[in-house]
């Protein structure tokens, strides 16, 4: 498919239209250093998702312990069930910090002058693909996390038990792994409905704030161009039919939604405003044209994790489309 190919010879409604090879892009020499750093993080993403998918809470053990506060055997059983789970939750949280650093490295590469964001995407496809992979992972992680209420229940029990310090003679070595400061940070992370997305949106907002000499448009144009790329690939059968796997379609949908959410958090006017460089009506239509089971979580992400959807400046027809 080559590098970044124009899929249409004209621009539709002034939105750039490109084909980005999410399946085959390979790093050039110029991309290699950043690509290697980010790849080290992404290599662990599937095992993180597998670990989350396999997460079985300690609900029954916790209930037994609470209902029988004087039965030390049940207290110990609950504690010994929760501790390995807390270590697992720390691993997920620690991965979010690594992912945040990877995102910052990619944003630095894909927004730095003198190239425009579009030129960066054209010349650094492998980095654009990694950016897409981070978003794809993020939405998958958060979709899974929302279905596992046991996570917060387990962690709350852990914190209550530690603070009471009732189990002095039982495996409190875990505090070497998860001290109070770490527990506080983890608690804030898991309190979010979509913790990975919150991590990325905060990281992107901080990236813009810390790079005061970099025009905001460099970052927002990178995001809006990625959204347009995905939208056009999804709505143009001539190009979506080139994908080797149907999974790439879902990949494109997740990436499109991810960059829209980031744009909405970073741009002062958000993604839904009439002045937005993202064709929100077109993006939502593309999602609604897919099987409902594939897009319910993505439409919910647009509804509940964006910042500006309910602003007065959001056109009514956009709000109606997402009801």
């Amino acid at each position: 498919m080559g590098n970044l190919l124009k899929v249409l010879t004209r621009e539709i409604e002034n939105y750039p239209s490109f084909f980005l090879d999410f399946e085959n892009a390979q790093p050039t020499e110029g991309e290699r250093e950043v690509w290697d750093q980010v790849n080290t993080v992404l290599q662990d993403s599937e095992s993180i998702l597998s670990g989350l998918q396999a997460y079985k809470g300690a609900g029954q053990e916790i209930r037994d312990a609470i209902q029988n506060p004087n039965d030390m055997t049940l207290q110990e059983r609950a504690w010994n069930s929760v501790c390995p789970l807390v270590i697992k939750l720390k691993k997920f949280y620690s991965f979010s910090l690594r992912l945040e650093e990877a995102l910052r490295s990619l944003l630095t590469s894909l927004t730095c002058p003198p190239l425009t964001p579009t030129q960066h995407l054209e010349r650094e496809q492998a980095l654009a693909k990694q950016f897409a992979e981070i978003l794809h992972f993020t939405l998958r992680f958060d979709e899974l996390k929302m279905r596992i209420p046991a996570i917060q229940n387990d962690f709350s029990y852990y914190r209550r038990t530690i603070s009471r310090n009732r189990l002095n003679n039982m495996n409190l070595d875990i505090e070497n792994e998860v001290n109070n400061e770490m527990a506080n940070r983890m608690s804030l992370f898991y309190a979010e409905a979509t913790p990975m997305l919150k991590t990325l949106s905060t990281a992107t907002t901080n990236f813009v704030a810390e790079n005061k000499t970099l025009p905001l448009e460099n970052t927002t144009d990178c995001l809006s161009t990625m959204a347009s790329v995905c939208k056009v690939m999804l709505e143009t059968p001539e190009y979506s039919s080139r994908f080797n796997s149907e999974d790439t379609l879902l990949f494109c949908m997740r990436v499109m939604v991810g960059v829209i959410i980031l744009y909405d958090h970073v741009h002062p006017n958000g993604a839904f405003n009439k002045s937005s460089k993202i064709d929100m009506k077109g993006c939502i239509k593309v999602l609604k044209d897919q099987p409902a089971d594939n897009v319910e979580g993505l439409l919910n992400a647009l509804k509940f994790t964006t910042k500006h959807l309910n602003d007065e400046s959001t056109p009514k027809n956009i709000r109606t489309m997402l009801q």
Side-chain angles (χ1 to χ4, degrees):
M1 294 183 199
N3 284 339
L4 194 58
L5 306 176
K6 280 202 173 181
V7 297
L8 301 175
T9 55
R10 60 193 171 83
E11 290 189 352
I12 301 174
E13 301 172 8
N14 297 319
Y15 297 106
S17 303
F18 301 105
F19 191 94
L20 185 54
D21 191 351
F22 283 140
E23 292 182 330
N24 304 306
Q26 295 297 320
T28 61
E29 273 311 300
E31 296 170 273
R32 176 62 68 177
E33 185 179 348
V34 172
W35 189 90
D36 282 343
Q37 287 173 12
V38 175
N39 191 51
T40 303
V41 178
L42 285 171
Q43 279 178 336
D44 294 334
S45 63
E46 285 302 322
S47 70
I48 294 291
L49 288 173
S50 299
L52 182 60
Q53 203 156 16
Y55 189 96
K56 297 285 185 270
Q60 187 59 54
E61 292 87 343
I62 290 171
R63 280 192 296 276
D64 290 344
I66 290 171
Q67 288 165 7
N68 301 277
N70 298 319
D71 187 328
M72 291 313 292
T73 302
L74 292 177
Q75 304 307 309
E76 190 166 345
R77 184 180 299 159
W79 181 248
N80 290 338
S81 298
V82 164
C83 284
L85 295 173
V86 169
I87 299 297
K88 190 178 270 195
L89 293 176
K90 182 192 174 188
K91 182 182 175 185
F92 301 156
Y93 169 71
S94 298
F95 186 76
S96 78
L97 303 181
R98 295 174 61 206
L99 205 67
E100 183 179 350
E101 281 304 307
L103 179 74
R104 292 170 74 87
S105 297
L106 289 173
L107 284 173
T108 300
S109 296
L110 292 171
T111 61
C112 63
L115 299 184
T116 65
T118 300
Q119 289 170 327
H120 275 297
L121 292 173
E122 196 162 4
R123 298 179 192 191
E124 296 159 26
Q125 265 205 58
L127 297 186
K129 181 185 175 205
Q130 287 185 318
F131 186 22
E133 286 170 341
I134 286 176
L135 291 166
H136 180 59
F137 162 83
T138 294
L139 269 77
R140 288 168 71 200
F141 182 95
D142 287 346
E143 282 169 14
L144 285 171
K145 186 264 178 186
M146 281 195 277
R147 296 185 207 138
I148 311 175
I151 287 176
Q152 279 176 276
N153 296 337
D154 295 345
F155 199 65
S156 295
Y157 177 79
Y158 169 77
R159 297 205 71 192
R160 288 198 307 272
T161 306
I162 285 286
S163 64
R164 285 197 308 265
N165 208 16
R166 282 172 49 205
L167 306 176
N168 281 326
N169 57 341
M170 293 166 55
N171 193 21
L172 285 183
D173 292 346
I174 191 170
E175 286 200 82
N176 298 327
E177 288 266 359
V178 182
N179 60 25
N180 199 45
E181 184 189 347
M182 172 63 76
N184 286 337
R185 294 201 304 252
M186 287 170 63
S187 188
L188 290 172
F189 177 77
Y190 287 111
E192 294 288 340
T194 52
M196 286 289 177
L197 205 48
K198 173 70 173 176
T199 298
L200 293 199
S201 60
T202 301
T204 308
T205 304
N206 290 345
F207 172 81
V208 169
E210 290 161 14
N211 290 275
K212 298 191 190 316
T213 58
L214 186 73
L216 171 67
E217 290 72 28
N218 285 37
T219 303
T220 55
D221 284 359
C222 174
L223 300 173
S224 61
T225 303
M226 286 279 282
S228 179
V229 168
C230 294
K231 179 180 80 79
V232 171
M233 290 198 293
L234 287 164
E235 71 187 0
T236 312
E238 178 187 351
Y239 296 96
S240 57
S241 63
R242 290 188 187 185
F243 295 139
N244 296 322
S245 165
E246 283 189 23
D247 289 344
T248 310
L249 288 174
L250 187 53
F251 180 91
C252 277
M253 287 187 269
R254 283 202 178 103
V255 173
M256 182 178 76
V257 168
V259 287
I260 288 170
I261 292 167
L262 291 188
Y263 183 101
D264 193 57
H265 280 264
V266 172
H267 198 286
N269 299 325
F272 301 95
N273 192 288
K274 283 182 180 176
S275 64
S276 167
K277 289 191 177 179
I278 296 177
D279 173 15
M280 285 305 305
K281 186 177 176 183
C283 290
I284 296 168
K285 183 180 182 304
V286 162
L287 291 175
K288 293 206 153 188
D289 286 344
Q290 308 298 323
D293 288 351
N294 287 352
V295 296
E296 183 184 0
L298 298 177
L299 291 169
N300 283 338
L302 288 177
K303 277 191 249 185
F304 302 123
T305 63
T306 47
K307 187 176 178 182
H308 294 279
L309 175 62
N310 294 316
D311 288 4
E312 285 183 16
S313 58
T314 299
K316 282 184 181 175
N317 64 328
I318 299 291
R319 265 185 259 181
T320 302
M321 288 178 80
L322 282 174
Q323 279 174 357

